Amino acid sequence: ISSSVAIRPAFSWPVHGAVGAPFAQMEGLHHSGIDIVAEMGSDVEASAPGTVIFAGEQPGYGFVIMIEHEGDLLSLYAHNQSTLVAQGATVGRGQRIARVGQSGGATVPLLHFEIRRFRTPLDPIPFLPPPRPRPGPKASANLQGSLDATGS
């Protein structure tokens, strides 16, 4: 294995749902994470182990949790209905940290999920396991736009 290959920590999908809006960082279009549409009140889980560095409200994002991880990475979970952890808490991957909501600027229940390195937003998809097709007719007819963000 080449020494120039970056080893990324194992992140997991923070909520079960469909990706409704992808990451976009190009001229004229800026979306610093992915939006995962999910049922109101669904469990939001820590995507990787780390330390909660913020748990509170932010304009536009509503109720937010930020977790610091190894490798100068940070994960952000926004638009929550409620937060279940406090600043300073140590969390494990898969630990319940919030409930899906519609706070801040969200128009439907969803989780806005970001991964950042040194404050710079990164596309979360390469850090996550491949999504699985959702069961039912959509999965067999057309997988594009109908992937289940479960990651297992």
Side-chain angles (χ1 to χ4, degrees):
I1 296 177
S2 168
S3 61
S4 65
V5 174
I7 304 295
R8 293 188 173 150
F11 281 77
S12 60
W13 287 91
V15 69
H16 293 278
V19 176
F23 177 85
Q25 295 288 333
M26 51 188 126
E27 194 171 321
L29 185 58
H30 177 77
H31 189 241
S32 57
I34 58 174
D35 290 345
I36 305 170
V37 180
E39 287 188 42
M40 180 71 85
S42 297
D43 289 343
V44 175
E45 299 175 350
S47 190
T51 303
V52 177
I53 61 169
F54 181 84
E57 261 188 283
Q58 287 191 349
Y61 277 143
F63 294 108
V64 175
I65 294 172
M66 293 182 199
I67 301 174
E68 189 174 59
H69 309 283
E70 290 182 2
D72 300 309
L73 295 172
L74 176 139
S75 58
L76 180 144
Y77 311 77
H79 301 305
N80 298 300
Q81 179 182 55
S82 60
T83 57
L84 305 175
V85 293
Q87 185 171 334
T90 299
V91 296
R93 179 183 26 231
Q95 181 177 334
R96 191 174 61 193
I97 58 170
R99 298 215 184 276
V100 170
Q102 198 173 331
S103 62
T107 58
V108 297
L110 61 85
L111 175 70
H112 176 78
F113 177 65
E114 297 182 15
I115 293 180
R116 300 178 183 177
R117 175 173 275 136
F118 302 117
R119 295 187 178 180
T120 302
L122 304 171
D123 184 353
I125 296 298
F127 289 84
L128 298 168
R132 295 184 304 191
R134 280 192 270 163
K138 276 189 177 181
S140 61
N142 181 1
L143 292 179
Q144 189 172 12
S146 65
L147 295 178
D148 181 31
T150 61
S152 44

